């Protein structure tokens, strides 16, 4: 195909869009690939659509290659299936809900587990029908709290979502492995580096789960890896739990006056003055000797606010995202939650919380968090707080702390939770060495859902013995529009986009430079020959546009090969430039088509 710029529905822009924070967003808008319709909602222009279709094709081919079959669901769905799995409420504010003229409730699907499950239930009834993997490439709708960075976090976006259905766990393992391998191939073909990292299952439920993260500074996900090959999303990192300590001979806890010590820093200073500790006893007090009790407010899917107190070693901060990902098991309802530091109002409603001096305490007559006194407050601790560890912590009285408060002897807790900041240098849980941290964008996510959805929606089949068994499922997503943005982000310079061949909107961008009719005639001819050779061609045939603007646009649009037909023509040469390396070469006109075809085929 030859796209002529004189006719192509395209306007490139000189100015960066005001709302663009990242290069991919800026350049995709400036180069005429997308236009913003509303926050997090974009219109696709011809060039953008061309890249999008290429990304989709690669994904389709790899899905088809593992035997998955394509279907297509509506985006507008009735409420009932989502009520059956409780996601109508669990999804919280992220769900676009709407009503039809009769008052019936509908939603714009944020993901499609329910519909796929029901479709299979509709049509299949025997183990002989399984395994089955089906997928779609379709719009998803999520009312994201912070639509961001153009296509990277949209409120309407395209996802490839597939679902596997198996009669037993071994089958699910195989379906999961096939998808995992297909995902690695997809990202390899796209030319997008990804690292599969262990993830928490979050609101989806289920067991094994991995995310495919593309490492980049602008990513919103932090992950860790060790030299020994461990990689995990920060939310999913598990702490190396210390051994319990025998506290038979531990001295009794003591309350001390520690006026004006509401922070860990002031507390550590006071401790070193009041109770200097000898080298033999572990040396000067540090923040790591203190137990910090942080009051958090959890907003449940129902909109209710629940206070939770988290106890952590004073040298570690609480990571709210880790709390969000891991607190589910301790809450009264499942679903999407937000966790934040408790505000003044939350604290005012809980007069037992003595600000700055909050602590657990059993033998001290102070209220024991999680039990008597503040019975309604859930008290969770970092896994490092094991039985026998001894702490300096708040005595629940203003200006007083308690020293030598022993976990398991003097205080209890409702549960342990992965909640503290993961630090570079922490040990990997599998013993594969110290962790380093990096940032990434989640490009894909695979889950072993297990039987959660099949149970809720009663998807059963007859097994070999004629017995009804619940089907086990997997769910697998790739962010298609996000992939376009991530590719743009990974492949650009200050002049514009630089697409990898696999997804470029064309193979070659022909530029007619100058005024002479013979220049346009030759450029036209070359474009047609390149097309005949099977290449996709953009041809800048605009008659009255300056060479500077044309080259600027070619660099902005980012097709990997640029063929300039201009002054050299009188000497029988044209210039072929590689947008990626910047290398340019003069090539004889009659060799130009072969030369370009070779360049396109070889890299
Ligand atoms: P995130 O953590 O980035 O919000 P998610 O975990 O909610 O993503 P999934 O439900 O796992 O996303 O969806 C599968 C894939 O869809 C993600 O891996 C991502 O590539 C893509 N995706 C999710 N949300 C968006 C969005 N708002 N805009 C663009 N792509 C998205
Ligand atoms: Mg995810």
């Amino acid at each position: 195909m030859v796209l002529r710029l004189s006719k192509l529905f395209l306007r490139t822009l000189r100015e960066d869009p005001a709302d663009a924070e990242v290069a991919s967003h800026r350049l995709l808008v400036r180069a005429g690939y997308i236009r913003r319709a509303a926050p997090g909602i974009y219109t696709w222009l011809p060039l953008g659509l061309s890249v999008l279709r290429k990304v989709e094709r690669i994904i389709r081919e790899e899905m088809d290659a593992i035997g998955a079959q394509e279907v297509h669901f509506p985006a507008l769905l009735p409420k009932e299936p989502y009520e059956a799995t409780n996601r109508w409420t669990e999804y919280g504010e992220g769900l676009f809900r709407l009503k039809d003229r009769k008052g019936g409730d509908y939603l714009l699907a944020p993901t499609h587990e329910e519909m796929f499950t029901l479709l299979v239930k509709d049509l299949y009834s025997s183990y002989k029908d399984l395994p089955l993997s089906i997928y779609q490439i379709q719009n998803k709708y999520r009312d994201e709290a912070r639509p961001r960075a153009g296509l990277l976090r949209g409120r309407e976006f395209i996802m490839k979502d597939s679902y596997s259905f198996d009669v037993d766990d071994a089958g699910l393992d195989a379906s999961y492995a096939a998808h995992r391998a297909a995902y690695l191939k997809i990202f390899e073909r796209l030319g997008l580096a990804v690292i599969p990292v262990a993830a928490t299952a979050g609101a989806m439920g289920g067991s094994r789960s991995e995310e495919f993260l593309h490492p980049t500074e602008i990513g919103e996900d932090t992950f860790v890896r060790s030299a020994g090959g461990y990689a995990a999303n920060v939310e999913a990192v598990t702490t190396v739990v210390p051994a319990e300590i025998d506290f038979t001979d531990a001295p009794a806890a003591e309350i001390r006056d520690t006026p004006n010590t509401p922070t860990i820093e002031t507390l550590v200073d006071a401790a070193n003055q009041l109770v200097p500790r000898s080298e033999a006893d572990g040396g000067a007090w540090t923040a790591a000797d203190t137990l910090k009790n942080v009051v958090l407010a959890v907003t449940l899917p129902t909109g209710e606010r629940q206070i939770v107190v988290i106890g952590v070693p004073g040298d570690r901060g609480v990571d709210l995202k880790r709390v969000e990902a891991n607190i589910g098991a301790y809450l009264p309802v499942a679903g999407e939650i937000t966790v934040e530091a408790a505000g003044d109002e939350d604290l005012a409603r809980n007069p037992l919380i003595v600000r700055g001096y909050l602590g657990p305490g059993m033998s001290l007559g102070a209220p024991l968090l999680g039990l008597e006194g503040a019975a309604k407050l859930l008290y969770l601790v970092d896994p490092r707080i094991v039985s026998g560890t001894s702490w300096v912590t708040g005595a629940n009285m203003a200006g007083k702390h308690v020293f030598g408060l022993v976990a398991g002897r003097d205080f209890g807790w409702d549960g342990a939770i992965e909640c503290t900041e993961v630090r570079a240098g922490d040990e990997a849980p599998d013993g594969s060495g110290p962790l380093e941290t990096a940032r990434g964008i989640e490009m894909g996510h695979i889950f072993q859902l297990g039987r959660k959805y099949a149970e809720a929606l009663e998807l059963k089949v007859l097994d070999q013995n004629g017995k009804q068994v619940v089907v086990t499922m997997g769910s697998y997503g790739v962010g298609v529009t996000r992939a376009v943005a991530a590719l743009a982000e990974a492949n650009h310079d200050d002049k514009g986009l630089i697409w990898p061949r696999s997804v470029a909107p064309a193979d070659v961008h022909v530029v007619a430079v100058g005024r002479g009719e013979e220049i346009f005639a030759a450029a036209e001819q070359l474009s047609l020959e390149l097309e005949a050779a099977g290449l996709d061609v953009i041809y800048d045939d605009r008659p009255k546009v300056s060479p500077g603007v044309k080259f600027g646009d070619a660099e902005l649009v980012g097709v990997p090969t640029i063929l300039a037909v201009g002054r050299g023509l009188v000497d029988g040469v044209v210039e072929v430039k590689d947008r990626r390396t910047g290398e340019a070469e003069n090539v004889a006109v009659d060799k130009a088509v072969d030369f370009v075809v070779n360049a396109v085929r070889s890299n």
Side-chain angles (χ1 to χ4, degrees):
M1 199 179 30
V2 180
L3 293 176
R4 288 179 170 73
L5 283 197
S6 61
K7 302 218 174 63
L8 186 66
F9 185 53
L10 171 74
R11 281 285 172 275
T12 57
L13 310 176
R14 293 250 162 103
E15 301 290 319
D16 288 335
D19 61 335
E21 308 156 30
V22 298
S24 56
H25 183 194
R26 215 167 59 224
L27 292 170
L28 287 168
V29 172
R30 275 191 51 207
Y33 285 72
I34 57 170
R35 290 296 287 171
R36 194 183 89 132
I41 304 180
Y42 289 86
T43 306
W44 289 80
L45 303 179
L47 288 182
L49 217 42
S50 165
V51 173
L52 180 62
R53 295 287 176 251
K54 287 180 181 172
V55 172
E56 288 179 355
R57 190 168 79 206
I58 289 173
I59 294 172
R60 240 183 216 113
E61 284 172 4
E62 295 304 332
M63 283 295 105
D64 295 347
I66 60 165
Q69 299 170 60
E70 187 167 3
V71 296
H72 197 81
F73 279 89
L76 178 62
L77 299 174
K79 165 177 76 165
E80 288 69 25
Y82 285 76
E83 270 197 320
T85 58
N86 216 21
R87 285 213 289 186
W88 177 257
T89 35
E90 274 182 21
Y91 228 101
E93 290 185 315
L95 196 64
F96 279 104
R97 299 173 176 83
L98 54 158
K99 284 197 186 298
D100 70 3
R101 62 173 75 204
K102 292 184 185 135
D105 284 310
Y106 286 78
L107 63 113
L108 294 174
T111 166
H112 277 81
E113 278 75 11
E114 286 80 354
M115 300 308 290
F116 274 82
T117 309
L118 289 173
L119 184 69
V120 175
K121 180 183 173 182
D122 238 8
L123 299 173
Y124 275 8
S125 57
S126 162
Y127 74 95
K128 290 182 199 149
D129 298 324
L130 304 182
L132 170 73
S133 282
I134 42 183
Y135 75 97
Q136 65 175 347
I137 294 181
Q138 218 252 15
N139 280 350
K140 299 281 187 265
Y141 296 86
R142 296 182 186 178
D143 195 359
E144 297 277 358
R146 290 175 298 278
R148 191 184 150 262
L151 301 175
L152 283 176
R153 184 171 296 285
R155 295 198 297 163
E156 179 188 87
F157 61 96
I158 300 174
M159 196 200 290
K160 184 289 297 176
D161 48 329
S162 23
Y163 304 84
S164 65
F165 300 85
D166 281 279
V167 74
D168 56 24
D169 296 348
L172 172 58
D173 283 341
S175 300
Y176 183 90
H179 272 89
R180 191 178 191 280
Y183 275 33
L184 290 172
K185 274 204 194 135
I186 287 169
F187 294 114
E188 190 191 312
R189 284 183 65 188
L190 288 173
L192 198 64
V194 293
I195 303 175
V197 307
T200 51
M204 287 286 214
S207 51
R208 189 165 175 208
S209 160
E210 284 164 286
E211 290 172 353
F212 292 76
L213 296 187
H214 168 61
T216 160
E217 274 307 306
I218 63 147
E220 282 182 90
D221 286 292
T222 310
F223 69 101
V224 296
R225 50 185 160 184
S226 73
Y230 176 81
N233 191 318
V234 161
E235 279 91 323
V237 176
T238 50
T239 303
V240 179
V241 180
E244 295 188 357
I245 299 167
D246 177 10
F247 53 71
T248 329
D249 297 328
E254 261 184 277
I255 294 183
R256 300 258 178 180
D257 283 320
T258 51
N260 302 319
T261 55
T263 64
I264 295 295
E265 207 178 19
T266 50
L267 172 60
V268 170
D269 285 348
N272 281 317
Q273 285 185 9
L274 286 170
V275 198
R277 202 165 60 168
S278 70
E279 282 308 320
D281 268 344
W285 298 102
T286 69
D289 299 312
T290 69
L291 173 63
K292 179 165 66 177
N293 295 286
V294 181
V295 188
L296 302 177
V298 181
T299 309
L300 302 173
T302 50
E304 234 175 304
R305 247 169 119 79
Q306 182 180 338
I307 296 299
V308 177
V309 182
I310 306 248
V312 302
D315 63 330
R316 296 236 168 209
V318 168
D319 179 332
L320 295 179
K321 279 188 134 180
R322 270 168 60 75
V323 176
E324 238 162 50
N326 296 307
I327 200 172
Y330 299 108
L331 298 176
V333 283
E336 190 150 314
I337 52 158
T338 51
V339 177
E340 59 196 324
D344 290 343
E345 274 178 32
D346 299 307
L347 296 174
R349 268 187 279 116
N350 289 277
L352 285 174
I353 295 175
V354 187
R355 275 180 133 171
Y357 301 91
L358 179 60
M362 197 185 286
S363 56
L364 300 167
L368 176 64
L369 291 169
L371 290 174
E372 338 141 16
K376 281 192 211 74
L377 293 187
L378 182 64
Y379 185 49
L380 302 174
V381 296
D382 177 79
R384 291 175 186 84
I385 295 160
V386 294
S387 178
T389 51
S390 172
W391 304 93
V392 180
T393 189
N396 298 310
M397 291 176 271
K400 289 181 198 293
H401 279 91
V402 52
F403 285 65
L405 197 74
V406 173
R409 180 190 73 181
D410 303 325
F411 69 99
W413 50 89
D414 297 313
I417 179 175
E418 292 295 346
C419 61
T420 48
E421 278 162 4
V422 177
R423 283 189 206 144
D426 286 351
E427 281 304 311
D430 65 355
S432 61
L435 299 174
E436 53 167 276
T437 61
R439 300 188 72 78
I441 307 178
E442 182 187 321
M443 303 310 309
H445 198 166
I446 56 180
F447 292 94
Q448 294 200 352
L449 289 176
R451 297 182 175 80
K452 176 177 161 172
Y453 288 85
E455 238 149 42
L457 298 165
E458 298 178 334
L459 168 59
K460 294 178 186 163
V461 293
L462 289 178
D463 73 5
Q464 264 163 313
N465 310 314
K467 219 177 81 214
Q468 292 269 349
V469 290
V470 178
V471 168
T472 181
M473 294 172 53
S475 145
Y476 317 89
V478 173
V480 180
T481 44
R482 182 176 283 184
V484 172
L487 282 164
E489 196 65 44
N491 301 284
H492 75 272
D493 61 16
D494 52 353
K495 297 187 195 109
L497 297 160
I498 312 175
W499 293 108
R501 288 242 178 262
S502 54
V503 299
D507 297 308
V508 54
H509 188 127
V510 179
V511 186
V513 195
R515 288 169 179 278
E517 238 166 69
E518 62 297 343
I519 287 175
F520 282 82
E524 170 81 25
Q525 180 62 27
L526 284 168
S527 298
L528 293 174
E529 285 174 24
L530 288 163
E531 180 194 28
L535 302 193
D536 288 339
V537 182
I538 290 177
Y539 170 32
D540 194 345
D541 60 340
R542 292 173 296 178
K544 283 183 184 135
V545 174
S546 77
V549 169
K550 285 187 172 181
F551 281 123
D553 279 350
E555 281 175 324
L556 182 59
V557 164
V559 172
T561 302
I562 299 170
L563 172 65
V565 184
R567 235 182 269 146
L569 195 64
V570 291
D571 304 320
V573 294
V574 293
E575 187 194 67
V576 181
K577 187 171 171 184
D578 191 313
R579 172 73 180 95
R580 297 161 300 177
T581 60
E583 279 164 27
E585 208 172 318
N586 281 334
V587 180
V589 187
D590 55 354
K591 299 259 161 49
V593 171
D594 279 351
F595 186 94
V596 170
V597 169
N598 260 334
V600 170
R601 300 260 153 83
S602 62
N603 66 31

Short mmCIF file of all heavy atoms in Angstrom, two decimals, residues 142 144 151-154 157 159 442-445 479 482, ligand 1:
data_model
loop_
_atom_site.label_atom_id
_atom_site.label_comp_id
_atom_site.label_asym_id
_atom_site.label_seq_id
_atom_site.Cartn_x
_atom_site.Cartn_y
_atom_site.Cartn_z
N ARG A 142 -12.34 0.92 32.47
CA ARG A 142 -12.07 1.04 33.91
C ARG A 142 -11.98 2.52 34.24
O ARG A 142 -11.21 3.24 33.59
CB ARG A 142 -10.75 0.35 34.29
CG ARG A 142 -10.80 -1.15 34.05
CD ARG A 142 -9.51 -1.81 34.47
NE ARG A 142 -9.55 -3.22 34.11
CZ ARG A 142 -8.55 -4.08 34.30
NH1 ARG A 142 -7.43 -3.68 34.87
NH2 ARG A 142 -8.68 -5.34 33.94
N GLU A 144 -10.30 4.47 35.94
CA GLU A 144 -9.03 4.57 36.68
C GLU A 144 -8.99 5.87 37.48
O GLU A 144 -9.39 6.92 36.98
CB GLU A 144 -7.85 4.56 35.70
CG GLU A 144 -7.71 3.29 34.89
CD GLU A 144 -6.98 2.18 35.64
OE1 GLU A 144 -6.55 2.42 36.79
OE2 GLU A 144 -6.84 1.08 35.07
N LEU A 151 -1.82 6.45 26.45
CA LEU A 151 -2.32 5.09 26.33
C LEU A 151 -1.84 4.17 27.44
O LEU A 151 -2.34 3.05 27.58
CB LEU A 151 -1.86 4.50 24.99
CG LEU A 151 -2.28 5.24 23.73
CD1 LEU A 151 -1.63 4.60 22.52
CD2 LEU A 151 -3.81 5.21 23.59
N LEU A 152 -0.86 4.59 28.20
CA LEU A 152 -0.31 3.68 29.20
C LEU A 152 -1.34 3.31 30.26
O LEU A 152 -1.40 2.18 30.72
CB LEU A 152 0.94 4.27 29.87
CG LEU A 152 2.21 4.19 29.03
CD1 LEU A 152 3.35 4.89 29.74
CD2 LEU A 152 2.59 2.75 28.72
N ARG A 153 -2.12 4.28 30.69
CA ARG A 153 -3.21 3.98 31.61
C ARG A 153 -4.46 4.69 31.15
O ARG A 153 -4.68 5.85 31.47
CB ARG A 153 -2.85 4.37 33.05
CG ARG A 153 -3.93 3.99 34.06
CD ARG A 153 -3.50 4.18 35.50
NE ARG A 153 -2.39 3.30 35.84
CZ ARG A 153 -2.52 1.98 36.06
NH1 ARG A 153 -3.70 1.40 36.00
NH2 ARG A 153 -1.47 1.25 36.35
N GLY A 154 -5.25 4.01 30.35
CA GLY A 154 -6.46 4.60 29.81
C GLY A 154 -7.68 4.21 30.62
O GLY A 154 -7.61 3.33 31.48
N PHE A 157 -9.41 0.99 27.03
CA PHE A 157 -8.17 0.46 26.45
C PHE A 157 -8.46 -0.90 25.85
O PHE A 157 -9.51 -1.50 26.12
CB PHE A 157 -7.06 0.39 27.50
CG PHE A 157 -7.38 -0.51 28.67
CD1 PHE A 157 -6.94 -1.83 28.71
CD2 PHE A 157 -8.10 -0.03 29.75
CE1 PHE A 157 -7.23 -2.66 29.79
CE2 PHE A 157 -8.40 -0.85 30.84
CZ PHE A 157 -7.96 -2.16 30.86
N MET A 159 -7.55 -4.80 25.42
CA MET A 159 -6.84 -5.91 26.04
C MET A 159 -7.07 -7.15 25.21
O MET A 159 -8.13 -7.33 24.64
CB MET A 159 -7.37 -6.14 27.46
CG MET A 159 -6.48 -7.01 28.34
SD MET A 159 -7.35 -7.74 29.75
CE MET A 159 -7.67 -6.34 30.77
N GLU A 442 3.49 -2.90 33.61
CA GLU A 442 2.89 -4.23 33.45
C GLU A 442 2.32 -4.36 32.04
O GLU A 442 1.37 -3.67 31.68
CB GLU A 442 1.79 -4.40 34.50
CG GLU A 442 1.14 -5.77 34.42
CD GLU A 442 -0.07 -5.90 35.33
OE1 GLU A 442 -0.03 -5.37 36.46
OE2 GLU A 442 -1.04 -6.53 34.89
N MET A 443 2.90 -5.26 31.26
CA MET A 443 2.44 -5.45 29.89
C MET A 443 1.45 -6.60 29.78
O MET A 443 0.61 -6.64 28.89
CB MET A 443 3.63 -5.77 28.96
CG MET A 443 4.72 -4.73 28.96
SD MET A 443 4.13 -3.05 28.72
CE MET A 443 3.13 -3.23 27.27
N GLY A 444 1.59 -7.56 30.66
CA GLY A 444 0.69 -8.71 30.60
C GLY A 444 0.62 -9.34 31.97
O GLY A 444 1.45 -9.05 32.86
N HIS A 445 -0.39 -10.16 32.15
CA HIS A 445 -0.60 -10.75 33.46
C HIS A 445 -1.27 -12.09 33.27
O HIS A 445 -2.26 -12.19 32.54
CB HIS A 445 -1.49 -9.81 34.29
CG HIS A 445 -1.44 -10.09 35.75
ND1 HIS A 445 -1.93 -9.21 36.69
CD2 HIS A 445 -0.95 -11.14 36.43
CE1 HIS A 445 -1.74 -9.72 37.90
NE2 HIS A 445 -1.15 -10.88 37.77
N GLY A 479 -2.02 -6.03 27.59
CA GLY A 479 -2.46 -4.67 27.29
C GLY A 479 -2.04 -4.30 25.88
O GLY A 479 -0.86 -4.04 25.63
N ARG A 482 -1.67 -0.48 25.54
CA ARG A 482 -0.50 -0.15 26.38
C ARG A 482 0.79 -0.58 25.69
O ARG A 482 1.82 0.08 25.82
CB ARG A 482 -0.64 -0.83 27.75
CG ARG A 482 0.50 -0.51 28.68
CD ARG A 482 0.30 -1.11 30.06
NE ARG A 482 -0.66 -0.37 30.86
CZ ARG A 482 -0.95 -0.66 32.14
NH1 ARG A 482 -0.34 -1.67 32.73
NH2 ARG A 482 -1.82 0.04 32.81
P1 LIG B 1 -2.42 -2.16 36.43
O1 LIG B 1 -1.80 -2.81 37.64
O2 LIG B 1 -1.43 -1.52 35.51
O3 LIG B 1 -3.59 -1.28 36.76
P2 LIG B 1 -4.04 -4.45 36.17
O4 LIG B 1 -3.26 -5.39 36.99
O5 LIG B 1 -5.24 -3.81 36.73
O6 LIG B 1 -3.05 -3.33 35.59
P3 LIG B 1 -5.03 -6.60 34.54
O7 LIG B 1 -6.38 -6.66 35.07
O8 LIG B 1 -4.04 -7.63 34.94
O9 LIG B 1 -4.42 -5.15 34.79
O10 LIG B 1 -5.14 -6.47 32.96
C1 LIG B 1 -4.30 -7.14 32.02
C2 LIG B 1 -3.45 -6.17 31.24
O11 LIG B 1 -4.22 -5.08 30.70
C3 LIG B 1 -2.41 -5.48 32.09
O12 LIG B 1 -1.29 -6.32 32.23
C4 LIG B 1 -2.12 -4.24 31.28
O13 LIG B 1 -1.17 -4.50 30.27
C5 LIG B 1 -3.44 -3.91 30.64
N1 LIG B 1 -4.11 -2.80 31.33
C6 LIG B 1 -4.72 -2.84 32.54
N2 LIG B 1 -5.24 -1.65 32.86
C7 LIG B 1 -4.97 -0.82 31.82
C8 LIG B 1 -5.26 0.55 31.54
N3 LIG B 1 -5.94 1.29 32.40
N4 LIG B 1 -4.84 1.09 30.37
C9 LIG B 1 -4.15 0.32 29.48
N5 LIG B 1 -3.85 -0.97 29.69
C10 LIG B 1 -4.24 -1.54 30.84
#
